[in-house]
């Protein structure tokens, strides 16, 4: 277990979790049982779960206590297929965020290559890319202030 995994294993669910990491999350986060456990617990306790850029891939395997995927039926965004093509990384990543999120039943919103785009689906807040980071954070703060 890596140092990061040990750290994540010790995190307790409270109010919000924001996944904001570079492309490495494509391999590390989707199947991490602690990331999935924490994300599910925060959401089910009424908290906000948020991610931006490649970070939303951390949400693709999060299941709620009723067995449904957290992102199923929700409008979400993340680094798009067109953006992977623009940076010539589609052949590098194991799959794209866009494709995997759609596989999980999410409605994927593409805001344009490297354009600011944020989706607020209740307490699941996702940002498309680095230009979306500030607006994503603002949306998280807004959602937390409503609680």
């Amino acid at each position: 277990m890596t140092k990061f995994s040990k750290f994540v294993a010790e995190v307790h669910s409270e109010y919000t979790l924001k996944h904001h990491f570079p492309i490495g999350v494509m391999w590390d986060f989707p199947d991490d049982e602690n990331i999935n456990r924490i994300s599910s617990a925060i959401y089910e306790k009424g908290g906000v779960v948020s991610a931006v850029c490649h970070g939303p891939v951390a949400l693709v395997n999060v299941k709620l206590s009723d067995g449904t995927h957290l992102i199923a039926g929700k409008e979400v965004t993340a680094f798009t297929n067109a953006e992977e093509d623009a940076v010539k990384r589609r052949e590098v990543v194991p799959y794209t965020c866009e494709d995997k999120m759609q596989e999980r039943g999410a409605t994927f919103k593409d805001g344009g290559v490297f354009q600011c785009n944020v989706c607020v689906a209740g307490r699941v807040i996702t940002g498309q890319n680095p230009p979306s980071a500030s607006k994503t954070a603002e949306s998280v703060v807004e959602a937390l202030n409503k609680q």
Side-chain angles (χ1 to χ4, degrees), residues 1 5 9 22 45 76 115:
M1 184 182 282
S5 292
K45 287 183 178 182
V76 298
Q115 300 300 307

PDB file of all heavy atoms in Angstrom, residues 1 5 9 22 45 76 115:
ATOM      1  N   MET A   1       0.853  -1.177   0.000  1.00  0.00           N
ATOM      2  CA  MET A   1       0.000   0.000   0.000  1.00  0.00           C
ATOM      3  C   MET A   1       0.897   1.239   0.000  1.00  0.00           C
ATOM      4  O   MET A   1       1.820   1.352   0.774  1.00  0.00           O
ATOM      5  CB  MET A   1      -0.885  -0.028   1.247  1.00  0.00           C
ATOM      6  CG  MET A   1      -1.897   1.104   1.298  1.00  0.00           C
ATOM      7  SD  MET A   1      -2.907   1.123   2.803  1.00  0.00           S
ATOM      8  CE  MET A   1      -4.080  -0.141   2.457  1.00  0.00           C
ATOM      9  N   SER A   5      -2.266   5.833  -0.234  1.00  0.00           N
ATOM     10  CA  SER A   5      -3.357   4.916   0.083  1.00  0.00           C
ATOM     11  C   SER A   5      -3.540   4.774   1.585  1.00  0.00           C
ATOM     12  O   SER A   5      -4.655   4.693   2.081  1.00  0.00           O
ATOM     13  CB  SER A   5      -3.115   3.544  -0.539  1.00  0.00           C
ATOM     14  OG  SER A   5      -3.206   3.622  -1.935  1.00  0.00           O
ATOM     15  N   ALA A   9      -6.902   5.776   3.530  1.00  0.00           N
ATOM     16  CA  ALA A   9      -7.570   4.771   4.353  1.00  0.00           C
ATOM     17  C   ALA A   9      -7.941   5.318   5.724  1.00  0.00           C
ATOM     18  O   ALA A   9      -8.880   4.847   6.359  1.00  0.00           O
ATOM     19  CB  ALA A   9      -6.679   3.541   4.512  1.00  0.00           C
ATOM     20  N   PRO A  22      -3.664  15.049 -11.254  1.00  0.00           N
ATOM     21  CA  PRO A  22      -3.348  14.912 -12.681  1.00  0.00           C
ATOM     22  C   PRO A  22      -3.718  13.546 -13.240  1.00  0.00           C
ATOM     23  O   PRO A  22      -4.367  12.742 -12.587  1.00  0.00           O
ATOM     24  CB  PRO A  22      -1.837  15.160 -12.724  1.00  0.00           C
ATOM     25  CG  PRO A  22      -1.355  14.802 -11.362  1.00  0.00           C
ATOM     26  CD  PRO A  22      -2.480  15.112 -10.417  1.00  0.00           C
ATOM     27  N   LYS A  45     -24.116  10.895   3.482  1.00  0.00           N
ATOM     28  CA  LYS A  45     -24.312  11.688   4.702  1.00  0.00           C
ATOM     29  C   LYS A  45     -24.732  13.118   4.386  1.00  0.00           C
ATOM     30  O   LYS A  45     -24.802  13.949   5.274  1.00  0.00           O
ATOM     31  CB  LYS A  45     -23.028  11.706   5.535  1.00  0.00           C
ATOM     32  CG  LYS A  45     -22.743  10.392   6.223  1.00  0.00           C
ATOM     33  CD  LYS A  45     -21.505  10.512   7.091  1.00  0.00           C
ATOM     34  CE  LYS A  45     -21.248   9.207   7.820  1.00  0.00           C
ATOM     35  NZ  LYS A  45     -20.080   9.313   8.716  1.00  0.00           N
ATOM     36  N   VAL A  76     -22.674  15.159 -15.655  1.00  0.00           N
ATOM     37  CA  VAL A  76     -21.298  15.306 -15.184  1.00  0.00           C
ATOM     38  C   VAL A  76     -20.402  15.733 -16.339  1.00  0.00           C
ATOM     39  O   VAL A  76     -20.784  15.667 -17.502  1.00  0.00           O
ATOM     40  CB  VAL A  76     -20.756  13.989 -14.578  1.00  0.00           C
ATOM     41  CG1 VAL A  76     -21.560  13.569 -13.354  1.00  0.00           C
ATOM     42  CG2 VAL A  76     -20.745  12.875 -15.623  1.00  0.00           C
ATOM     43  N   GLN A 115     -12.390  24.683 -22.659  1.00  0.00           N
ATOM     44  CA  GLN A 115     -13.294  25.743 -22.226  1.00  0.00           C
ATOM     45  C   GLN A 115     -13.755  25.455 -20.804  1.00  0.00           C
ATOM     46  O   GLN A 115     -13.856  24.291 -20.407  1.00  0.00           O
ATOM     47  CB  GLN A 115     -14.511  25.827 -23.157  1.00  0.00           C
ATOM     48  CG  GLN A 115     -14.161  26.130 -24.592  1.00  0.00           C
ATOM     49  CD  GLN A 115     -13.449  27.449 -24.755  1.00  0.00           C
ATOM     50  OE1 GLN A 115     -13.926  28.487 -24.294  1.00  0.00           O
ATOM     51  NE2 GLN A 115     -12.283  27.408 -25.385  1.00  0.00           N
TER      52      GLN A 115
END
